[in-house]
Amino acid sequence: MEESWNIKGVDYYRDFFKKIIQNNNIFDKSYELINNLCYNFQYLEFLTLVLQNELHEVVKKQTIKTYVVIGSSIIESLSEYYLYSISEYKLNHWELKSETKGDIVTVNKEKLRTDNKTFIKLKTPVLGSMTYFSVNQKIISKKFFGENDELYSLMEELRDLRNKIHLTNIRIDRDHDWNNFNSKVYYKTTKCLRELLKSSMFSSTTEELDELFGFLKLKLPQKN
């Protein structure tokens, strides 16, 4: 069943990701992840169609910002899952059992405090925590998605732009949404997603990708 604006239903995407995203010994939330990927790709297709319309320039840039945030979240989640699937994601072998705050002492006019933490060894390791930056660095340093330097460069650039969701993330003068989000960034996002979907992680045919993700090739309308 087709959604409004001829947006593909989530089942179209679900069948694709079910072949790739599966439970393993450290990850058992494949059903939930698959659904999240389906929802977000459907939303990307919707945003693509929104951007085909004539929009106020500020609204257009903010829509592209949303596109980048959603696209980057997809890239991050697929990268994390890939590390799960090849046992490269950080695991915790110890769990914090108790913590005791020490007394404050003065040494050479400096106040010092030594806290004590007690950890218990886990019988079965559990998933730890990795930042978006550390996930990207591991993927890129080991070239897990193949010899594709353009893909890795785009992944890093989009990760940095995704952090602009924090409105106080301002590093230089004129570092604001109007200057950061434009058609060029939109095309970088679609390019990064296409390259990732073409990688060895999916081993998909061109025909399959064009059928499901053809909207990633749509051009934005030019001003007259």
Side-chain angles (χ1 to χ4, degrees), residues 40-89:
N40 281 273
F41 266 109
Q42 189 182 53
Y43 188 44
L44 274 191
E45 186 170 10
F46 168 75
L47 291 175
T48 302
L49 295 179
V50 169
L51 287 166
Q52 295 302 304
N53 295 278
E54 185 175 344
L55 302 172
H56 186 285
E57 196 64 24
V58 170
V59 175
K60 177 181 177 181
K61 287 176 179 288
Q62 292 304 100
T63 303
I64 290 174
K65 178 179 181 178
T66 302
Y67 199 101
V68 171
V69 170
I70 298 298
S72 298
S73 296
I74 290 171
I75 294 163
E76 180 184 19
S77 65
L78 289 174
S79 298
E80 284 190 351
Y81 172 76
Y82 187 80
L83 295 183
Y84 299 156
S85 69
I86 60 173
S87 300
E88 286 280 350
Y89 198 87

Side-chain angles (χ1 to χ4, degrees), residues 5 13-14 41 59-60 65 67 70 72 84 86 117 120 124 133-134 137 141 144 153 155 165 171 173 184 203 214:
W5 274 14
Y13 297 111
R14 185 177 287 115
F41 266 109
V59 175
K60 177 181 177 181
K65 178 179 181 178
Y67 199 101
I70 298 298
S72 298
Y84 299 156
I86 60 173
K117 293 183 179 181
I120 185 171
T124 304
F133 173 79
S134 60
Q137 288 304 299
S141 64
F144 281 136
S153 176
M155 286 173 62
I165 194 172
R171 290 175 293 189
D173 290 345
K184 186 176 181 180
S203 300

